[in-house]
Amino acid sequence: MYFSRREYCLAALGTSLIPAAFWTAQSNRPPGRQASNANLAEYNSTLVNGLTPRYLTWDDRKWRCAMGSIWNAGMDHCLRLTAKRARFEIRDTPLDRGPADNPAKRRSEMRFPKSPRLPNAVPLWGATSFLHHHREDPEGMAKRWGGVHGQLHIGSTFGGSPAVAFRRLRRGEFAVTTRGENDEEGTVRYRGPLSFDEVHHMVYRVVLHPKDGVLTVWLDGDLVLDLRGVSIGSSHAECYWSFGCYYSGGITCPIIAEYGDHFYPSQTDLSNRINFRPNWS
């Protein structure tokens, strides 16, 4: 995935609109229960003979893995799983990336690129609960680009940044971006403060279409984005879901993200989950 200079500039502009007190609070907040490596023991290792398999079955799907532990032995932090939860971590080493990534990138993701890909022109619903750990070096991370924690990958034929991405920007705020055939540079559609070290619940409804795309996002029960008639995806209809941690501009401290109550994008209506708060267990 390519993070365009235009997206980077828009993201940087967005951070200047957030009150300074928010950044102070984020830097000084005490670590939550899940904010340290202590919770590693809550998850099972994915290593087999020292490596994470390239393909893993989790949450009733066979996922393709992209992370350092599939090609470097002993990197037990990259991906750990339970039956219904996933924990991703990237560290500031040149090994914390996919084998095809350049050395500056940091990645730990699971993706489902199997055909058929996600269709255009039909409503697709997705949902997940997530917990993003606080950043140990917020000042250093503010000098980087931020990263992606979930994306509708646009596919290799059209290429470039995702059709939809759920991001943490360089100063830590949550953001949603879209990109499409008639919006090749991509657009930041939403940005706002969102706490670390707490579980959040997200539901989204998307219609992929090169001209008449739709995206609606609810976060912790609140409607934060209702977008219609914009370019989301391409006429090639090659989008697929990928999630975890992807920081193309590098990092200065460990980045940890946990997921549960995960629903892969489908035509199943998930509106009943907008105000539902599943147990984090």
Side-chain angles (χ1 to χ4, degrees):
M1 189 212 78
Y2 173 72
F3 192 97
S4 72
R5 296 299 298 175
R6 182 172 183 269
E7 282 183 298
Y8 174 66
C9 291
L10 285 169
L13 175 62
T15 61
S16 67
L17 304 177
I18 308 297
F22 169 75
W23 309 122
T24 302
Q26 292 299 305
S27 300
N28 295 335
R29 64 177 292 127
R33 183 185 67 84
Q34 284 98 349
S36 73
N37 284 340
N39 79 316
L40 273 171
E42 299 174 15
Y43 292 85
N44 302 314
S45 174
T46 59
L47 301 187
V48 178
N49 296 323
L51 298 172
T52 297
R54 185 173 293 272
Y55 291 92
L56 280 174
T57 298
W58 178 78
D59 200 28
D60 299 323
R61 286 184 181 272
K62 187 177 181 180
W63 298 87
R64 183 175 179 178
C65 299
M67 59 202 60
S69 57
I70 67 172
W71 62 295
N72 296 287
M75 299 182 68
D76 204 17
H77 63 277
C78 294
L79 174 65
R80 295 177 69 91
L81 301 172
T82 69
K84 291 295 182 182
R85 280 172 51 190
R87 182 190 190 277
F88 300 84
E89 181 177 349
I90 50 177
R91 298 177 181 176
D92 189 18
T93 79
L95 302 182
D96 279 76
R97 58 185 174 91
D101 290 330
N102 73 55
K105 294 183 178 182
R106 302 290 177 263
R107 185 196 303 267
S108 178
E109 289 183 308
M110 292 199 300
R111 54 183 66 157
F112 191 77
K114 184 179 179 180
S115 296
R117 299 287 178 88
L118 297 173
N120 282 356
V122 298
L124 300 171
W125 290 80
T128 190
S129 299
F130 62 90
L131 187 153
H132 295 162
H133 293 220
H134 74 285
R135 298 170 172 180
E136 296 176 355
D137 182 22
E139 292 183 3
M141 288 298 297
K143 299 174 183 177
R144 302 300 176 98
W145 294 1
V148 176
H149 288 282
Q151 59 175 299
L152 290 173
H153 197 291
I154 207 164
S156 58
T157 301
F158 189 74
S161 294
V164 177
F166 302 105
R167 304 176 182 267
R168 284 283 189 173
L169 299 182
R170 61 191 184 94
R171 291 190 180 273
E173 71 269 42
F174 186 79
V176 182
T177 62
T178 66
R179 179 173 173 266
E181 206 165 278
N182 294 338
D183 179 22
E184 292 192 26
E185 289 297 310
T187 304
V188 179
R189 302 295 185 178
Y190 170 82
R191 63 174 70 86
L194 186 69
S195 61
F196 291 93
D197 299 330
E198 296 178 4
V199 178
H200 298 284
H201 309 280
M202 182 176 70
V203 177
Y204 60 93
R205 178 184 182 273
V206 61
V207 177
L208 299 165
H209 196 280
K211 294 181 181 179
D212 297 316
V214 175
L215 179 61
T216 310
V217 180
W218 295 267
L219 192 58
D220 295 329
D222 295 326
L223 178 66
V224 297
L225 180 63
D226 192 7
L227 187 65
R228 300 175 185 274
V230 298
S231 183
I232 304 178
S234 76
S235 55
H236 300 290
E238 292 183 335
C239 288
Y240 62 89
W241 175 246
S242 175
F243 70 112
C245 303
Y246 174 61
Y247 281 64
S248 61
I251 58 177
T252 63
C253 62
I255 301 294
I256 303 171
E258 300 179 60
Y259 297 85
D261 198 51
H262 177 270
F263 288 80
Y264 187 84
S266 74
Q267 295 182 53
T268 301
D269 189 322
L270 297 178
S271 56
N272 64 332
R273 305 195 70 80
I274 292 172
N275 293 307
F276 180 66
R277 295 295 177 272
N279 292 326
W280 185 255
S281 60

